[in-house]
Amino acid sequence: MNSKIWLSSPHMGGNEQKYINEAFAENWVAPLGPNVNGFEEDLENFLGEDVKVAALSSGTAALHLALIQCGVQPGDEVICQSMTFSASANPIAYCGAIPIFVDSEPETWNICPAGLRQTISDRIQKGKKPKAIIVVHLYGMPAKMDGIISIANEFEIDVIEDAAEALGSVYKGQACGTFGRFGILSFNGNKIITTSGGGALVCNTKEDKDKTVFLSTQARDNAPHYQHSHIGYNYRMSNIVAGIGRGQMEVLKDRVAARRSMHDFYKELFKDIDGIKVFSEPSSDFYSNHWLSAIVVNPQITGKTREELRMTFLEDNIESRPLWKPMHMQPVFENAPFYGGGTSEKLFNDGLCLPSGSNLAEDERERIAKVILNFFGK
């Protein structure tokens, strides 16, 4: 059997070990230390906009702390993009709150501003104003943040950006993750850079960052003994993990360029195949890191389905994956309200994520191309 081609595998830069060795040499193994501080500073400098970053154990932990700081309580309602991974919605349940799912628009596959406005108005009419809005930059594609932020400001609702897939993506010259009150980053093993596991919360103020660090380190009060006036969490990133992150930040721009090159590879590959749409920026306002390249297959035109293509890839030991199954279609959230018109369902039925790693070799690209061209009879 051919060697495995992964959808998105970790890609080390080479200097990660240097920072890890320094941590061991200086005995900074606890969840604090120079690597944590340095990683946060690297992220702040990369994102710009004078943001403050708190390094945490995962993107999910970051989202949980963002919701807590937005004042989300049991019984509150939180609007969430339906077309996303479950980690965008699970922390709503951690808070005992109710997710209100909103459909996507077809250009960016992200939350529809018109649908967002309709949802907020309807929830208020039903007697409960949503406490927060979670918008996701899906597969690295920036959402239509102008309209989203305008609507959120009009109704005075906090925006939390799930930019777990979008480090390096930009909307109208501004980094994704810096538009809302909070932004979420992930450094999971399959992300554009990785710390093996880990995440960060992007904050607009030092006060919010300080509160994040306080909550993520068991909410210990300023006292010589252990005293706690708030419920705390064990969510801080360790100095060892942050060392991996510091090494990865040195190659982040290269990783973005490589992922965008894979997107261009697929654009060229599919240009003469009718019925295939490669997920791309709708205008020059959008700059995606193209964390994952994805296509939509029109079975009426191609005579083929995305599932048939996925299985053909699998026969050659190449990993591909359907788009995220929308949250309102998930059994765990089947009773949650949903506002939409079928966009996300159609994307799920016909969409496929393709191998997108920044470390794919030329012979692996050739294997991918051969499978695709043979499958479509080219």
Side-chain angles (χ1 to χ4, degrees):
M1 180 178 285
N2 286 326
S3 60
K4 180 83 169 186
I5 295 178
W6 297 96
L7 186 73
S8 179
S9 63
H11 189 183
M12 294 295 100
N15 271 346
E16 294 85 359
Q17 196 67 48
K18 177 186 76 172
Y19 294 102
I20 295 170
N21 289 345
E22 287 174 359
F24 274 96
E26 297 168 7
N27 204 31
W28 283 107
V29 182
L32 75 162
N35 280 338
V36 174
N37 297 334
F39 188 35
E40 290 174 342
E41 290 169 7
D42 291 344
L43 287 164
E44 289 167 358
N45 291 334
F46 182 83
L47 294 170
E49 306 301 324
D50 198 31
V51 295
K52 305 299 179 186
V53 174
L56 302 169
S57 57
S58 69
T60 309
L63 183 49
H64 187 197
L65 295 186
L67 290 169
I68 289 170
Q69 291 182 84
C70 287
V72 175
Q73 299 286 330
D76 285 341
E77 294 184 350
V78 175
I79 290 176
C80 183
Q81 184 169 312
S82 184
M83 188 74 181
T84 186
F85 179 52
S86 63
S88 302
N90 285 338
I92 301 171
Y94 300 168
C95 294
I98 300 164
I100 310 295
F101 294 115
V102 178
D103 206 356
S104 296
E105 43 79 18
E107 288 191 317
T108 71
W109 300 0
N110 295 317
I111 196 167
C112 176
L116 175 62
R117 176 182 291 280
Q118 175 194 356
T119 301
I120 294 171
S121 298
D122 189 65
R123 301 317 295 178
I124 291 173
Q125 192 173 33
K126 285 179 166 59
K128 187 168 286 189
K129 177 181 167 181
K131 209 63 177 285
I133 300 164
I134 298 172
V135 55
V136 185
H137 302 295
L138 203 69
Y139 303 125
M141 185 64 68
K144 295 181 176 179
M145 293 308 299
D146 279 359
I148 293 165
I149 293 295
S150 176
I151 292 165
N153 289 342
E154 177 185 339
F155 288 97
E156 298 182 326
I157 302 174
D158 285 331
V159 170
I160 302 170
E161 287 176 81
D162 185 339
E165 302 169 1
L167 182 60
S169 297
V170 177
Y171 177 71
K172 291 187 176 180
Q174 184 172 337
C176 290
T178 67
F179 288 87
R181 179 179 173 189
F182 294 105
I184 310 303
L185 302 176
S186 172
F187 312 112
N188 194 23
N190 63 357
K191 295 300 187 292
I192 197 153
I193 62 168
T194 182
T195 58
S196 75
L201 187 59
V202 182
C203 308
N204 272 321
T205 67
K206 184 178 183 300
E207 289 74 21
D208 279 345
K209 176 182 175 176
D210 290 344
K211 183 68 175 292
T212 301
V213 172
F214 171 72
L215 291 172
S216 69
T217 50
Q218 299 291 15
R220 180 184 174 185
D221 293 340
N222 186 17
H225 52 277
Y226 286 94
Q227 179 165 303
H228 305 271
S229 304
H230 302 270
I231 296 296
Y233 305 87
N234 186 18
Y235 281 171
R236 195 70 161 127
M237 180 179 282
S238 81
N239 198 55
I240 301 295
V241 168
I244 304 174
R246 293 192 75 184
Q248 288 274 281
M249 286 300 293
E250 294 180 2
V251 295
L252 174 54
K253 290 182 179 180
D254 294 336
R255 299 296 179 259
V256 172
R259 298 271 178 163
R260 287 177 60 82
S261 174
M262 283 305 301
H263 170 261
D264 292 342
F265 164 77
Y266 287 118
K267 287 278 285 186
E268 179 67 21
L269 190 59
F270 284 108
K271 70 178 183 180
D272 296 323
I273 301 177
D274 294 335
I276 301 294
K277 182 178 179 181
V278 179
F279 185 35
S280 302
E281 292 92 335
S283 76
S284 59
D285 289 340
F286 301 81
Y287 180 91
S288 173
N289 66 10
H290 289 296
W291 169 61
L292 290 185
S293 290
I295 58 172
V296 175
V297 181
N298 186 327
Q300 281 72 44
I301 296 175
T302 62
K304 309 274 190 177
T305 67
R306 66 101 162 129
E307 186 59 15
E308 289 170 337
L309 177 56
R310 189 183 73 83
M311 294 304 296
T312 302
F313 272 132
L314 202 58
E315 289 171 7
D316 203 77
N317 207 20
I318 298 172
E319 183 183 23
S320 62
R321 190 174 295 166
L323 303 189
W324 299 125
K325 184 175 183 179
M327 289 301 99
H328 72 276
M329 298 173 66
Q330 299 285 355
V332 70
F333 293 121
E334 62 185 358
N335 295 321
F338 169 67
Y339 292 77
T343 299
S344 55
E345 290 99 321
K346 183 163 180 52
L347 287 169
F348 170 63
N349 288 334
D350 296 335
L352 189 69
C353 294
L354 304 173
S356 306
S358 53
N359 52 359
L360 287 172
E362 187 58 36
D363 64 317
E364 292 175 314
R365 287 192 184 199
E366 290 172 1
R367 274 179 60 196
I368 293 166
K370 183 178 179 181
V371 169
I372 290 171
L373 294 174
N374 286 343
F375 179 78
F376 288 105
K378 296 292 182 178

